[in-house]
Amino acid sequence: MAKDKALTAKSSIGAWLKHPVGGPILRDLLAQGGQKESALAPVKLFSLERVAAMSGGQMSQELIDDMVRRANDPSALAAAPAADDDGEDDEDEPPAPPMAAPWVERITPGRFDGKTVIVTGAGSGIGRAVAARVAAEGGKVVAVDISQERLDAAVAEMPGAVAVAGDITSEDSIAKIVAAADGRVDGLANVAGIMDDMTPLHEVSDAVWSRVMAVNVEGTFRLTRAVLPLMLEAGGGSIVNVASEAGLRGSAAGLAYTTSKHAVVGLTKSTSFMYAAKNIRVNAVAPGPVATGIEASFASELGQERVGLAMTILPPIAEAAQLAASITWLLSDDATNVSGVILPSDGGWSAI
Ligand SMILES: NC(=O)c1ccc[n+]([C@@H]2O[C@H](COP(=O)([O-])OP(=O)(O)OC[C@H]3O[C@@H](n4cnc5c(N)ncnc54)[C@H](O)[C@@H]3O)[C@@H](O)[C@H]2O)c1
């Protein structure tokens, strides 16, 4: 690799990682967030500016400018060790593809007119995007999140949304959520969820197992159990659960998260089957990688080695709004004849 090849915001993440000065800068940044280089595997061909745009404000323009300046500082370059420790010829490395024409969310005016939709996890990521889209399409949103701060910021951008700060694993919070719906729930999007620490079975701590199962499975179960009587009384409804690629395969996360998301698949299918004749549709979306605030850590060498293998074939990271497009379709009457489906929304990853 030419040691003096200038890095810019348009250089690929792969080029940054291989650069004698840019590589350490990027790795330091990852380490500050508790992440390792493998976390960037799915975006290696993306430019730095594209990854920044997907970071939801975590990588500011100021930070990018500072990284570019430091990476090209002649004194740092002179002091850096000879580049490229992998023996590959970087002249052969494909350039970062141009930013593809971005997908544009198209609002369907009135699709949720007159409907009340509960969305959990509405303070961040996929839940926030779902809540915003339902609100923009005329629905009354009951926005739920454990973080009051994130919820306040999110609902400020959603006309007419009702905010309920609470933990979906607590029956008190469940009662508050149902009360906020005021006797009517047409749609329920169970989006709130947490990741695990990528531990394989013999290394899973009680704390990780309990909390991941509590939020991802029990929370979804408790809120759905509380909402179903209202749907039965009203004569119908639509429920969308958020599973994961980890609900379809064993290689996408640790034991606790993988087990929890397989349970979400079972919960979805059983509920779909049981209420099919009651005009209640129940589906799940299984996202691939999505740029959100979700935090994954690697607390196990074995986990890192094994899950790291699967990460080398990850599809490009999607935006939360792309998941909202899939989830709101299933929530809406457009999916009138669809129930019991686990819909991968993953850029085709599940076909591999
Ligand atoms: N981001 C991805 O790559 C990805 C991939 C597959 C599946 N998912 C799933 O998508 C869903 C949404 O995740 P995200 O990526 O948007 O994450 P996120 O962290 O950005 O958002 C999740 C939100 O849920 C809230 N939450 C967590 N525990 C809660 C609780 N007990 N009660 C109420 N709210 C709670 C959090 O405060 C947060 O605001 C999760 O179920 C996750 O497992 C995400």
Side-chain angles (χ1 to χ4, degrees):
M1 169 193 231
K3 205 172 162 177
D4 55 356
K5 206 174 181 181
L7 282 178
T8 70
K10 294 197 184 308
S11 303
S12 69
I13 292 294
W16 270 84
L17 286 170
K18 285 192 170 181
H19 192 269
V21 182
I25 291 174
L26 194 50
R27 281 185 202 95
D28 272 2
L29 192 69
L30 283 167
Q32 283 167 31
Q35 300 275 6
K36 295 213 169 128
E37 184 176 332
S38 54
L40 291 176
V43 293
K44 261 192 169 166
L45 287 178
F46 289 11
S47 64
L48 181 66
E49 67 180 3
R50 182 168 178 192
V51 171
M54 293 164 71
S55 76
Q58 286 182 48
M59 289 179 87
S60 64
Q61 188 58 48
E62 209 181 359
L63 176 67
I64 300 294
D65 292 345
D66 183 56
M67 287 173 71
V68 171
R69 187 187 51 72
R70 286 165 54 212
N72 297 308
D73 177 354
S75 56
L77 275 168
D84 225 358
D85 45 1
D86 66 359
E88 283 171 29
D89 180 2
D90 274 10
E91 299 307 321
D92 294 340
E93 186 164 310
M99 283 175 85
W103 170 81
V104 179
E105 183 175 62
R106 285 183 207 284
I107 300 299
T108 307
R111 192 163 54 145
F112 290 99
D113 270 359
K115 308 240 184 209
T116 298
V117 180
I118 297 175
V119 182
T120 68
S124 175
I126 299 170
R128 182 171 175 162
V130 169
R133 179 129 189 203
V134 170
E137 296 187 349
K140 174 188 159 185
V141 172
V142 177
V144 179
D145 204 286
I146 199 169
S147 160
Q148 179 86 60
E149 199 187 342
R150 281 197 287 276
L151 195 56
D152 288 346
V155 295
E157 294 170 1
M158 294 170 201
V162 178
V164 183
D167 182 340
I168 54 166
T169 68
S170 128
E171 278 298 332
D172 283 354
S173 295
I174 298 291
K176 277 200 289 173
I177 298 165
V178 173
D182 211 12
R184 172 178 187 140
V185 180
D186 302 282
L188 167 62
N190 284 308
V191 187
I194 55 170
M195 245 299 188
D196 66 7
D197 56 359
M198 306 289 180
T199 39
L201 197 148
H202 81 283
E203 294 178 61
V204 175
S205 67
D206 282 358
V208 166
W209 171 262
S210 304
R211 190 63 189 157
V212 169
M213 293 299 284
V215 176
N216 296 359
V217 185
E218 207 185 305
T220 300
F221 152 70
R222 285 186 185 282
L223 183 55
T224 307
R225 184 174 65 176
V227 162
L228 273 167
L230 293 176
M231 290 184 169
L232 285 168
E233 203 182 312
S238 174
I239 299 171
V240 181
N241 299 321
V242 173
S244 166
E245 198 75 21
L248 308 176
R249 58 172 83 219
S251 57
L255 178 277
Y257 187 81
T258 303
T259 305
S260 75
K261 292 301 187 178
H262 275 74
V264 168
V265 168
L267 193 150
T268 302
K269 289 192 175 177
S270 168
T271 317
S272 164
F273 171 72
M274 290 290 186
Y275 300 98
K278 305 286 183 187
N279 198 30
I280 298 173
R281 296 184 299 102
V282 189
N283 294 288
V285 163
V290 190
T292 68
I294 205 160
E295 284 174 18
S297 58
F298 283 89
S300 156
E301 250 178 60
L302 178 59
Q304 173 140 26
E305 187 192 314
R306 298 299 299 163
V307 178
L309 275 179
M311 283 189 166
T312 58
I313 53 155
L314 278 191
I317 293 182
E319 292 167 37
Q322 292 179 274
L323 270 297
S326 304
I327 293 167
T328 54
W329 174 69
L330 283 173
L331 270 178
S332 79
D333 291 343
D334 285 344
T336 172
N337 200 32
V338 182
S339 191
V341 156
I342 313 300
L343 177 70
S345 179
D346 64 358
W349 189 22
S350 58
I352 297 173

